[in-house]
Amino acid sequence: MAENKRSQQMKEITQKLEKGVKEIFTSEMYKEYLKTMSQFHDYSLNNTLLIYMQKPDASLVAGYQAWQKKFKRQVKRGEKGIQIIAPAPIREKEEVEKLDPETQEPILKPDGTPEMEEVVYTIPRFRIATVFDVSQTEGEPLPGLEVPELTGNVKNYETFLQALKEISPVPIRFDEIESGAKGYYSNTKKEIVIQKGMSESQTMKTGIHETAHAKLHDRDFMEETEEKKDQMTREVEAESVAYTVCQYFGLDTSEYSFPYIAGWSSDKDLKELRASMDTIRKTAGEFINQMTEKIQEIQWEEQRHTESVLFTDSQDRYGIYQLSEEGNGREYRFMNLAYLKGKGLAAEGKDYQFVYGDVLREGDTLEDLYEKFNIDHPGDYTGYSLSVSDVVVLKQGNKLTAHYVDSFGYEELPDFIRQREELLEEAKRISAALRF
């Protein structure tokens, strides 16, 4: 009975998916679908579609118990879950003839009968799972989930552009383009050319669009894989990838329009539409993951340099440290020192990451910094508001002190400076070894 019910659920879900694919290709619906895809770029095409059809504004989903155990949040009373498809593979055992690894012939016993061995194989199966969006929950805050905005700030623009150049499969250069195009990918020269002098936002979007072409529509790659795509399909794919990536990184997507999408989709059968949608999803997901990793690498190098300046500069300075997502710090995020002592823990330099530093203005106190990083964040600050468990380091004259943000005021951490200096020295040694 239960098996029949599950089969019926899967059938209904599948029918809903097929209907959803056909209905999605209007300009406005398509843009909303791509927005959902930008949030769930690591999900399968089917689950991305299912999330979009049930809750288009979803931004982070997890199961009921996962919200409780992993995030210490509770699903609000009366909230309706989002149904997705989850793998539920079955493991089976079977007795088979044992084969010689070299000849692939059966190994025989002395009596001439074949030797047998037990093999375990997995049969793919799926089930319906229910998840909830973060907006349907309440509880502890989720720091570190925000995507850094890359618009309107020269420093971030340069970081983004550098990351784009490093993940692009071909070189990117700037030039005057006589045709009036904003950019193009050259199949013959294997390069991307972007019109120079454009706004930062337009340069970013054009660079992403042309990099998508280089990843997906290189002539040699398409011949090798025997793919055949008309010009409109290539543009739909590149523009859709660009929109999804821009949406994820907070770039302005208001001017994007897909007026041709309905006409394009009407010429395709369901199999072709799903193939293009899956290509867009995979490419955008890969793009986002590569860009995120590269941006973090670049920013980490910048932060490491800025932290070194904190320790070596002759000027008075300050540095803000927050617990990293990895390591033991997760055990005491937002906890006061009394809690740490009760658990036999201590605030360790290795659990933290340097998130911001600047010159200390004359007369600035720890209380001034607390107010600054709760009410009036600097424009290039990417951490969350200064909270319990954060550490502020002050350099005044030749003296360095570290201060733990406690439930009330600050407590000095005598070993923190030495721990961070040791980590910086280790990072320098690793960097020197890699260069060598």
Side-chain angles (χ1 to χ4, degrees):
M1 190 74 176
E3 184 65 33
N4 290 337
K5 184 179 179 182
R6 283 194 292 270
S7 296
Q8 182 61 30
Q9 282 182 315
M10 286 298 295
K11 183 179 178 181
E12 290 173 2
I13 285 283
T14 304
Q15 289 173 342
K16 188 185 292 185
L17 281 169
E18 301 308 315
K19 184 182 179 185
V21 170
K22 293 175 182 177
E23 290 180 346
I24 205 170
F25 290 98
T26 67
S27 182
E28 287 310 309
M29 281 186 71
Y30 189 63
K31 285 173 69 174
E32 290 302 312
Y33 164 70
L34 292 181
K35 287 180 183 178
T36 301
M37 185 189 293
S38 74
Q39 296 297 319
F40 302 101
H41 54 278
D42 287 329
Y43 279 55
S44 69
L45 172 63
N46 285 343
N47 281 337
T48 305
L49 281 164
L50 286 170
I51 292 169
Y52 163 72
M53 288 188 290
Q54 295 169 79
K55 192 168 179 57
D57 60 341
S59 61
L60 178 71
V61 298
Y64 188 92
Q65 291 193 358
W67 279 120
Q68 289 180 323
K69 294 177 181 178
K70 291 185 179 180
F71 302 103
K72 297 182 180 177
R73 293 179 69 86
Q74 182 67 43
V75 175
K76 298 174 188 174
R77 187 183 297 276
E79 289 289 348
K80 184 179 179 182
I82 302 164
Q83 289 188 318
I84 62 172
I85 300 171
I90 300 172
R91 290 167 63 86
E92 295 282 359
K93 296 179 180 179
E94 185 180 4
E95 287 281 330
V96 298
E97 293 181 352
K98 191 173 183 178
L99 301 179
D100 185 292
E102 292 184 6
T103 66
Q104 294 301 302
E105 294 292 328
I107 298 173
L108 302 179
K109 296 178 184 178
D111 64 1
T113 58
E115 248 186 75
M116 305 298 285
E117 65 177 346
E118 186 181 80
V119 296
V120 179
Y121 57 93
T122 302
I123 303 172
R125 290 284 189 275
F126 297 90
R127 64 180 176 85
I128 304 299
T130 301
V131 295
F132 297 86
D133 183 55
V134 63
S135 64
Q136 299 174 291
T137 69
E138 56 192 2
E140 291 193 7
L142 298 172
L145 291 177
E146 299 84 2
V147 177
E149 291 249 346
L150 294 169
T151 51
N153 184 285
V154 174
K155 178 182 176 183
N156 287 336
Y157 167 73
E158 294 296 340
T159 299
F160 189 91
L161 198 56
Q162 182 183 338
L164 184 62
K165 287 180 177 179
E166 291 190 27
I167 72 158
S168 172
V170 298
I172 296 176
R173 68 180 177 88
F174 293 87
D175 205 347
E176 291 288 348
I177 302 176
E178 293 181 2
S179 68
K182 294 183 176 70
Y184 63 87
Y185 168 60
S186 171
N187 261 303
T188 53
K189 294 183 178 179
K190 305 298 183 191
E191 66 173 3
I192 291 169
V193 181
I194 300 176
Q195 172 62 43
K196 61 183 181 181
M198 296 192 299
S199 69
E200 292 178 357
S201 178
Q202 187 60 61
T203 299
M204 291 175 188
K205 288 186 275 192
T206 301
I208 294 168
H209 180 101
E210 299 307 332
T211 302
H213 274 310
K215 283 176 174 284
L216 290 174
H217 307 133
D218 176 73
R219 186 183 300 137
D220 296 340
F221 170 75
M222 293 186 71
E223 286 177 2
E224 185 181 319
T225 55
E226 298 183 348
E227 286 191 76
K228 293 182 180 178
K229 296 178 180 178
D230 58 38
Q231 177 66 22
M232 179 61 81
T233 298
R234 294 198 297 271
E235 282 306 310
V236 166
E237 290 181 351
E239 191 71 345
S240 299
V241 169
Y243 181 93
T244 305
V245 175
C246 289
Q247 178 71 29
Y248 179 84
F249 284 108
L251 303 177
D252 180 20
T253 54
S254 60
E255 66 185 50
Y256 273 86
S257 179
F258 296 89
Y260 48 78
I261 202 77
W264 170 77
S265 64
S266 65
D267 292 334
K268 310 288 179 199
D269 61 28
L270 194 60
K271 184 178 178 181
E272 287 179 297
L273 288 177
R274 288 185 69 96
S276 271
M277 290 172 74
D278 205 36
T279 295
I280 292 163
R281 180 193 64 82
K282 287 178 180 176
T283 306
E286 178 188 81
F287 211 130
I288 288 167
N289 289 337
Q290 288 177 337
M291 285 294 291
T292 300
E293 184 177 340
K294 191 59 66 176
I295 288 168
Q296 287 173 344
E297 284 179 17
I298 294 167
Q299 289 179 336
W300 184 84
E301 282 296 327
E302 290 174 348
Q303 286 176 356
R304 189 168 67 83
H305 172 71
T306 308
E307 185 179 9
S308 297
V309 171
L310 169 64
F311 289 105
T312 59
D313 195 5
S314 59
Q315 288 183 286
D316 288 355
R317 301 186 70 89
Y318 67 88
I320 307 294
Y321 293 79
Q322 293 177 335
L323 288 164
S324 61
E325 293 299 321
E326 301 173 358
N328 296 330
R330 287 175 296 180
E331 296 183 33
Y332 59 93
R333 185 188 299 277
F334 303 130
M335 299 300 161
N336 60 27
L337 283 177
Y339 172 88
L340 269 67
K341 290 173 183 175
K343 293 289 184 179
L345 300 171
E348 298 279 349
K350 60 182 173 57
D351 296 333
Y352 285 80
Q353 59 183 347
F354 178 86
V355 297
Y356 194 78
D358 202 355
V359 173
L360 187 67
R361 296 179 304 183
E362 187 175 352
D364 270 355
T365 64
L366 287 167
E367 286 69 29
D368 294 330
L369 292 175
Y370 186 86
E371 184 176 324
K372 182 184 184 73
F373 287 92
N374 271 279
I375 299 173
D376 187 23
H377 295 174
D380 55 347
Y381 178 65
T382 58
Y384 52 83
S385 294
L386 205 60
S387 304
V388 173
S389 78
D390 294 345
V391 174
V392 179
V393 169
L394 298 181
K395 182 178 187 299
Q396 296 170 300
N398 293 319
K399 187 178 180 183
L400 281 156
T401 53
H403 307 267
Y404 189 91
V405 183
D406 215 344
S407 297
F408 299 98
Y410 295 82
E411 288 291 333
E412 195 165 335
L413 298 177
D415 296 328
F416 192 86
I417 301 297
R418 173 184 55 78
Q419 292 165 353
R420 291 305 300 186
E421 286 178 327
E422 288 173 356
L423 288 169
L424 280 172
E425 286 302 316
E426 180 63 19
K428 286 178 185 176
R429 284 194 294 270
I430 293 172
S431 182
L434 290 174
R435 285 197 300 271
F436 180 77

